[in-house]
Amino acid sequence: MKKALRQAEKAAGINEVPVGAVIVCGGKILVRSHNLKEKKGNALLHAEMVAIAKASKKIGDWRLNDCEIYVTLEPCPMCAGALINARIGKIYFGAYDQKWGCCGTLYNLTADERFNHRPPVVGGVLEEDCRGVLQDYFRKKRAENRVNK
């Protein structure tokens, strides 16, 4: 999760919502990613989506069942669905997301028995650190908005 936090900090440095992700296979980091939605003007480019695309390309397969993802914020519905579709082996996330979280907070998409793949999820990993990066980013954005008014 510490590597994912570094990715979140990179995202904040380019004015992206600071969410970072790392996909690990066999105990080794396969790919690192962070949000690119603002930079690329594409709503699909959440950290998890970028990580899935990079990992699939790197291993030459869309199935990531031998991999785990570490992401600093609980996946949204799109990302949780993509992780299910990618057959990710396990999901670890840091901060719980009260507005979009679909790995247990608003809805538990990953545990829905109607899906043929239900990856195990561990939430709250380095939660304070992950939440802190987000809070700092949004605190600075609000301060900038007050100054620019």
Side-chain angles (χ1 to χ4, degrees):
M1 189 61 75
K2 288 182 181 180
K3 303 286 187 193
L5 272 164
R6 285 193 192 124
Q7 290 296 308
E9 291 164 358
K10 276 181 143 179
I14 60 169
N15 206 25
E16 291 280 351
V17 173
V19 177
V22 173
I23 292 182
V24 174
C25 289
K28 295 184 180 179
I29 293 175
L30 183 65
V31 298
R32 296 168 162 88
S33 67
H34 54 76
N35 278 354
L36 291 170
K37 189 165 92 168
E38 298 298 330
K39 184 176 182 181
K40 302 278 184 169
N42 185 334
L44 301 176
L45 296 180
H46 289 196
E48 301 95 312
M49 302 295 280
V50 174
I52 291 167
K54 288 169 76 173
S56 294
K57 183 175 182 179
K58 192 163 187 176
I59 67 170
D61 194 348
W62 62 268
R63 292 173 196 85
L64 302 176
N65 34 349
D66 294 330
C67 302
E68 303 170 336
I69 190 166
Y70 293 80
V71 60
T72 58
L73 182 64
E74 181 178 2
C76 71
M78 173 181 70
C79 294
L83 290 164
I84 291 167
N85 275 300
R87 310 295 195 271
I88 197 80
K90 193 165 187 176
I91 300 168
Y92 295 91
F93 71 83
Y96 289 85
D97 190 342
Q98 303 300 318
K99 294 180 180 178
W100 291 96
C102 279
C103 288
T105 299
L106 290 180
Y107 182 73
N108 199 346
L109 199 64
T110 54
D112 191 316
E113 293 183 4
R114 294 172 289 182
F115 293 116
N116 69 340
H117 180 70
R118 292 179 299 282
V121 176
V122 176
V125 179
L126 295 180
E127 181 180 4
E128 288 182 30
D129 294 336
C130 293
R131 186 176 51 242
V133 169
L134 286 157
Q135 287 173 336
D136 289 348
Y137 173 80
F138 285 112
R139 191 177 300 116
K140 288 175 187 171
K141 290 298 263 180
R142 285 189 297 275
E144 288 172 9
N145 288 340
R146 281 193 300 272
V147 168
N148 293 330
K149 283 187 177 184

